[in-house]
């Protein structure tokens, strides 16, 4: 409808307003009301442009990570009382987007038909000699350089936690620290480790 009013405003010196309103099927009163509100529209447009400049500055300062909620909170902290929906509209119109947390997906898909691994610990979490009973697990952490595989082992005798991480993987699960930890501690015969769902067991 604004386009029709703008067309009438541009052509009213050539054709009469009444004729143009009949042609475009709009009421003359509506056209004159739109015309009277021109100053307020220009003021709102200028205010929106100034607000977009502030939003863009905050967005760049956040390394392009802030979305509507954080930008709204930052503007309020700076003393700017702005409606959250207005911020969302301006960010949408100017293609300003924050960083979204990616949907978490499982990296491990166990084989339901596989035979369960034997319980080497036997639910006995007590050890007399260090380095004879270990329990551990592995996880994958998202980093700026990709996925980091992190292995953690707990010695049941002294509750010593050893964490190893890196991009190296074992042939089964991606654990890069199991064998090195065992060799460093002098593991060998008589060493038992609990097996996690990844299927990695110390030798």
């Amino acid at each position: 409808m604004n386009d029709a009013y703008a067309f009438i405003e541009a052509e009213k010196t050539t054709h009469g307003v009444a004729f143009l309103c009949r042609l475009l099927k709009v009421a003359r009163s509506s056209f004159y009301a739109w015309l009277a509100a021109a100053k307020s529209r220009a003021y709102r447009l200028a205010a929106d442009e100034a607000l977009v400049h502030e939003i863009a500055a905050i967005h760049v300062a956040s390394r392009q990570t802030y979305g509507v909620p954080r930008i709204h909170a930052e503007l309020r902290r700076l003393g700017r009382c702005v409606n959250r929906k207005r911020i969302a509209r301006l960010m949408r119109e100017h293609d300003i987007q924050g960083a979204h947390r990616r949907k978490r997906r499982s990296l491990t898909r166990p084989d339901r038909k596989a035979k369960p691994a034997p319980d080497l610990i036997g639910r006995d979490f007590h050890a007399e000699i260090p380095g004879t009973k270990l329990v551990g697990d592995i996880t994958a952490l998202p980093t700026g350089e990709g996925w980091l595989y992190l292995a953690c082992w707990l010695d049941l005798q002294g509750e010593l936690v050893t964490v190893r991480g890196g991009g190296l993987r074992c042939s089964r699960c991606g654990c890069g620290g199991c064998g090195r930890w065992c060799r460093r501690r002098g593991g060998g015969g008589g060493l038992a480790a609990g097996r996690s769902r990844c299927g990695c067991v110390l030798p």
Side-chain angles (χ1 to χ4, degrees):
M1 191 61 69
N2 288 335
D3 292 339
Y5 294 149
F7 177 79
I8 295 172
E9 174 65 15
E11 298 294 330
K12 68 180 182 180
T13 56
T14 305
H15 305 282
V17 173
F19 170 75
L20 292 172
C21 288
R22 287 197 306 272
L23 181 66
L24 299 176
K25 297 181 180 180
V26 297
R28 280 188 295 173
S29 60
S30 299
F31 167 71
Y32 287 119
W34 175 86
L35 200 61
K39 290 184 179 180
S40 61
R41 285 197 306 275
Y43 173 79
R44 287 197 301 271
L45 181 61
D48 282 351
E49 290 178 354
L51 181 57
V52 167
H53 179 74
E54 293 183 68
I55 291 173
I58 295 173
H59 188 250
V60 171
S62 70
R63 292 180 295 180
Q64 300 181 346
T65 59
Y66 279 12
V68 174
R70 288 186 173 181
I71 288 180
H72 179 251
E74 183 65 15
L75 287 172
R76 293 195 62 176
R77 189 185 68 82
L78 296 174
R80 298 279 277 113
C81 185
V82 185
N83 187 278
R84 180 169 172 170
K85 292 183 179 179
R86 183 183 177 191
I87 296 174
R89 174 179 61 82
L90 293 175
M91 291 181 65
R92 183 171 59 251
E93 292 175 353
H94 292 80
D95 196 25
I96 301 175
Q97 298 181 356
H100 299 280
R101 181 173 295 178
R102 291 178 296 180
K103 185 177 180 181
R104 185 175 181 181
R105 61 186 181 89
S106 175
L107 298 178
T108 304
R109 294 178 176 83
D111 186 357
R112 299 182 182 277
K113 298 180 180 179
K115 183 180 179 181
D119 184 2
L120 303 181
I121 300 295
R123 307 301 296 174
D124 181 10
F125 299 101
H126 177 73
E128 296 290 344
I129 303 174
T132 56
K133 285 187 178 180
L134 306 174
V135 294
D137 200 0
I138 184 173
T139 188
L141 305 174
T143 68
E145 299 179 354
W147 289 97
L148 172 66
Y149 293 89
L150 185 68
C152 178
W153 291 94
L154 175 66
D155 189 331
L156 293 180
Q157 193 279 335
E159 296 186 353
L160 174 64
V161 178
T162 300
V163 178
R164 300 287 293 179
L168 298 178
R169 307 183 184 183
C170 75
S171 59
R172 302 193 61 179
C173 68
C175 173
C178 306
R180 292 194 300 272
W181 189 90
C182 179
R183 288 191 294 273
R184 188 181 65 186
R185 289 293 302 269
L191 177 64
R195 184 194 298 250
S196 65
R197 286 187 298 174
C198 67
C200 181
V201 179
L202 287 180

